[in-house]
């Protein structure tokens, strides 16, 4: 039931959201409940993961081998971390639409008139407008001044903003190949894809831009495939769970209506796509979207507005307020909503060798790691705990 509707993992910083999410995803993969596309902002899911306790924790690729593929936007970072990546993702300038800039309004401090200017430039220059703007010489800019429909101060300000894209090595005039298509090929083979951002994870605009761009394309392909299947489930693409972090940046009330993530949350499971959103500030998420987050897994929250946001629409939530504010600072959470009959407080299992062993023996096995695994059969008790 977890993947039947969108899922949220909440909790303030350091409460174990990433660890908990990795445990949930491991369960989803092990039981083949859905295929995952994970926009991995801080390299938390694919390969070895920094653990405050000292030794590094294993990523999903190390646990599930060929059932998980790592795509990277930052080849150098993946190589340095010895992550076994399957594909390097590049994006062409022609893939970026003025709509994408609208998503980045707050993050990049863009005004409405700058976004209007983007639409004007696209009309004039076509698909390559953004590359043309970044590289525009002073002659080109002088030439623009002649055009009556162009607001020059906005164009100049926009040019300065989008020039930030030049530091993103994965963005180029023309993409090396169609990454959305490549991701879809893996997904259709029921292989989960972790997209590592490497050093670009520190640039929120890179994360939002790439996640929006790829998700929009993949969702379009999903809609087409589901519609051509005409209700024949065997022809439909597999259930897809898309994980995003810093979700409130995608789903704040100002943009939730326009973004692809808002669309996916609202259309529920119609096209076999649901979201797993990870966030430390749930009060920043649009209320309508939040109401579609069927199952909420919440670690400690101490801000009243965040607590109110995660409890919204949960029946009998009054008493949970206290419980939520008093959870341990790590490895404790409340699960509520669609996947459970009633809210329940859980101790999150430890993400350690015992956990890794409980997963071995899964179909596909683990081939991505240098550490040998004991091959034991999956422990029923443990898999129930995951669910
Ligand atoms: N289930 C777990 N098993 C083992 N260790 C855990 C678990 N949950 C949390 N921890 C410990 O707590 C630390 C912080 O967890 P994590 O990185 O998941 O927090 P977070 O909520 O994602 O933080 P941030 O908001 O900064 O991203 C981990 O480095 C790990 O040491
Ligand atoms: Mg985290």
């Amino acid at each position: 039931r977890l993947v039947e509707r969108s899922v949220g993992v909440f909790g303030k910083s350091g409460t174990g959201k990433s660890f908990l999410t990795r445990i949930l995803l491991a369960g989803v993969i092990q039981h083949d409940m859905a295929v995952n596309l994970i926009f991995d902002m801080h390299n938390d899911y694919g390969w070895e993961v920094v653990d405050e306790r000292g030794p590094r924790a294993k990523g999903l690729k190390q646990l599930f081998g060929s059932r998980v593929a790592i795509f990277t936007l930052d080849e150098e970072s993946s190589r340095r971390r010895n992550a076994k990546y399957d594909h390097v993702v590049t994006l062409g300038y022609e893939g970026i639409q003025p709509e994408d800039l609208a998503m980045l309004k707050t993050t990049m401090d863009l005004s409405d008139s700058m976004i209007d200017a983007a639409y004007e430039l696209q009309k004039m220059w076509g698909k390559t407008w953004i590359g043309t703007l970044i590289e525009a010489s002073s002659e080109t800019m002088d030439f623009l001044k002649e055009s009556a429909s162009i607001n020059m101060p906005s164009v100049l300000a926009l040019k300065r903003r989008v020039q930030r894209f030049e530091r993103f090595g994965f963005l180029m005039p023309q993409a090396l190949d169609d990454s959305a298509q490549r991701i879809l090929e893996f997904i259709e083979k029921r292989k989960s894809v972790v997209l590592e951002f490497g050093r670009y994870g520190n640039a929120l605009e890179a994360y939002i831009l790439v996640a929006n761009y790829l998700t929009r394309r993949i969702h379009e392909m999903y809609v087409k495939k589901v519609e051509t299947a005409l209700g024949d489930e065997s022809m439909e693409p597999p259930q897809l769970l898309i994980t995003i972090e810093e979700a409130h940046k995608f789903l704040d009330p100002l943009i939730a209506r326009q973004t692809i993530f808002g669309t996916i949350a609202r259309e529920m499971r119609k096209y076999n796509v649901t979201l797993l959103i990870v966030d430390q500030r749930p009060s920043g998420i649009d209320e309508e979207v939040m109401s579609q987050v069927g199952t909420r897994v919440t670690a400690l929250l101490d801000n009243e507005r965040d607590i109110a946001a995660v409890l919204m629409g949960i029946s009998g939530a009054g008493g949970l307020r206290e419980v939520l504010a008093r959870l341990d600072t790590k490895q404790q959470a409340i699960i509520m909503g669609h996947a459970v009959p009633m809210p329940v407080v859980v101790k999150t299992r430890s993400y350690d060798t015992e956990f890794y062993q409980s997963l071995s023996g899964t179909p596909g096995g683990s081939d991505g790691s240098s550490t040998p695994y004991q091959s034991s059969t999956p422990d029923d008790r443990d898999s129930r705990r995951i669910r």
Side-chain angles (χ1 to χ4, degrees):
R1 289 180 62 91
L2 184 77
V3 297
E4 281 177 5
R5 295 190 45 194
S6 290
V7 184
V9 174
F10 306 111
K12 62 179 221 174
S13 182
T15 48
K17 291 182 298 299
S18 303
F19 271 62
L20 177 54
T21 303
R22 210 161 40 231
I23 292 171
L24 291 171
L25 291 170
V28 169
I29 297 171
Q30 191 192 21
H31 297 280
D32 202 20
M33 293 188 285
V35 185
N36 297 281
L37 169 59
I38 301 158
F39 290 105
D40 189 359
M41 190 175 202
H42 300 301
N43 314 313
D44 273 333
Y45 301 102
W47 202 249
E48 280 181 335
V49 182
V50 178
D51 183 335
E52 290 169 2
R53 301 166 301 176
R56 288 174 167 265
K58 284 183 196 294
L60 296 170
K61 172 86 184 172
Q62 289 160 299
L63 296 177
F64 292 102
S66 63
R67 292 171 73 191
V68 173
I70 295 183
F71 278 43
T72 183
L73 280 171
D74 183 355
E75 195 175 6
E76 197 188 305
S77 148
S78 298
R79 210 182 288 143
R80 198 174 50 243
R81 290 177 294 112
N82 284 323
K84 292 190 181 160
Y85 54 92
D86 297 82
H87 188 69
V88 179
V89 171
T90 55
L91 246 57
Y93 281 135
E94 77 271 7
I96 304 178
Q97 309 295 324
E99 290 86 338
D100 293 309
L101 293 188
M103 306 297 118
L104 290 166
K105 203 164 177 280
T106 329
T107 312
M108 290 182 72
D109 190 22
L110 301 169
S111 67
D112 286 334
S113 58
M114 287 183 226
I115 291 168
D116 290 344
Y119 282 100
E120 285 302 326
L121 293 175
Q122 192 197 33
K123 256 188 244 157
M124 286 177 54
W125 289 335
K127 280 205 292 196
T128 55
W129 68 279
I130 206 164
T132 313
L133 177 62
I134 289 174
E135 281 151 27
S137 61
S138 46
E139 290 87 69
T140 313
M141 296 307 271
D142 284 342
F143 183 73
L144 268 186
K145 279 183 202 153
E146 313 290 311
S147 164
S149 61
I150 291 287
N151 173 342
M152 260 338 257
S154 301
V155 171
L156 288 168
L158 180 66
K159 180 171 164 64
R160 279 194 300 275
R161 298 287 198 290
V162 296
Q163 270 168 340
R164 292 185 205 161
F165 291 163
E166 282 181 300
R167 7 179 216 121
F168 300 155
F170 58 86
L171 261 183
M172 37 191 74
Q174 234 157 19
L176 299 179
D177 68 355
D178 184 345
S179 293
Q181 183 61 45
R182 291 298 303 273
I183 291 174
L184 192 71
E185 285 161 18
F186 276 78
I187 289 170
E188 291 199 302
K189 288 188 212 139
R190 305 194 75 87
K191 290 177 195 281
S192 291
V193 174
V194 179
L195 177 57
E196 293 196 330
F197 277 69
R199 77 191 114 125
Y200 304 118
N202 293 326
L204 191 57
E205 62 264 40
Y207 189 67
I208 295 180
L209 183 71
V210 171
N212 265 293
Y213 172 76
L214 291 176
T215 303
R216 195 174 54 222
R217 292 280 324 281
I218 290 165
H219 182 259
E220 267 168 25
M221 298 190 262
Y222 251 69
V223 169
K224 251 191 224 132
K225 282 178 192 288
V226 170
E227 284 176 348
T228 18
L230 294 169
D232 176 354
E233 279 181 21
S234 64
M235 299 291 288
E236 287 182 3
Q239 180 68 34
L240 173 63
L241 182 64
I242 301 182
T243 298
I244 48 168
E245 305 202 59
E246 300 280 350
H248 68 273
K249 305 279 186 192
F250 294 85
L251 294 169
D252 85 44
L254 285 177
I255 54 174
R257 245 151 243 292
Q258 306 150 45
T259 118
I260 182 62
F261 294 98
T263 308
I264 293 174
R266 278 192 308 270
E267 75 196 7
M268 300 176 73
R269 253 212 316 175
K270 196 163 156 207
Y271 296 109
N272 294 2
V273 186
T274 53
L275 301 177
L276 193 168
I277 62 186
V278 184
D279 205 305
Q280 51 177 301
R281 209 167 70 75
S283 61
I285 298 174
D286 180 59
E287 279 191 16
E288 196 200 339
V289 170
M290 197 64 179
S291 70
Q292 304 297 342
V293 176
T295 305
R296 303 177 199 165
V297 184
T298 308
L300 176 69
L301 282 170
D302 53 11
N303 174 296
E304 277 302 315
R305 292 179 51 223
D306 289 330
I307 295 179
V310 297
L311 294 180
M312 192 190 64
I314 301 284
S315 56
L320 291 178
R321 199 173 280 270
E322 279 283 285
V323 183
L324 194 44
R326 284 174 191 213
L327 291 172
D328 287 350
T329 49
K330 278 188 181 39
Q331 286 190 251
Q332 240 191 7
I334 304 186
I335 306 181
M336 51 198 161
H338 186 68
V340 285
M342 65 172 117
V344 50
V345 178
V346 294
K347 178 181 184 314
T348 311
R349 62 186 303 169
S350 281
Y351 192 86
D352 55 13
T353 337
E354 196 193 324
F355 177 67
Y356 307 154
Q357 281 170 5
S358 75
L359 296 172
S360 59
T362 45
S366 55
D367 62 16
S369 161
S370 52
T371 320
Y373 291 92
Q374 284 180 3
S375 55
S376 60
T377 49
D379 180 331
D380 260 359
R381 190 175 34 113
D382 284 347
S383 36
R384 259 205 307 278
R385 245 191 277 159
I386 295 170
R387 266 180 261 163

